[in-house]
Amino acid sequence: MTALRLPSTLTNAQATACLQQLQAGLAQLPAGSPAVVDASALAVFDSAALAVLLECRRTALAAGQVFQVAGLPAAAASLARLYGVDAMLQAA
């Protein structure tokens, strides 16, 4: 299983470029393989990081893939709970 990786910094300033890179990676995954995003490097982020993950989830589900997030830092998981989207970011 190949995991796509989030950068250490993912704020509004990096969101578009990061999303484009992740979507390109999702498109290269073999059909039926899980789409796993490794968030363990994420250190500096804002709500844009959640938006990127949710858009990746939408893209993966539209392609028939299972979407999972690995290594989501506690602070990011807390932000996801605050926004009520934590259940959408299933842990790998």
Side-chain angles (χ1 to χ4, degrees):
M1 165 175 48
T2 302
L4 305 169
R5 300 189 193 297
L6 290 184
S8 60
T9 300
L10 180 48
T11 64
N12 190 54
Q14 297 85 19
T16 300
C18 181
L19 178 60
Q20 290 171 345
Q21 289 176 336
L22 290 171
Q23 286 180 322
L26 289 170
Q28 294 177 3
L29 292 175
S33 67
V36 179
V37 175
D38 180 358
S40 60
L42 196 59
V44 177
F45 60 90
D46 61 17
S47 61
L50 296 180
V52 166
L53 288 171
L54 292 171
E55 184 60 20
C56 285
R57 177 183 183 271
R58 187 200 63 76
T59 300
L61 293 179
Q65 298 168 310
V66 173
F67 180 78
Q68 298 175 322
V69 179
L72 190 65
S78 178
L79 186 61
R81 275 191 301 281
L82 177 68
Y83 283 109
V85 298
D86 52 318
M88 293 181 196
L89 303 177
Q90 177 181 344

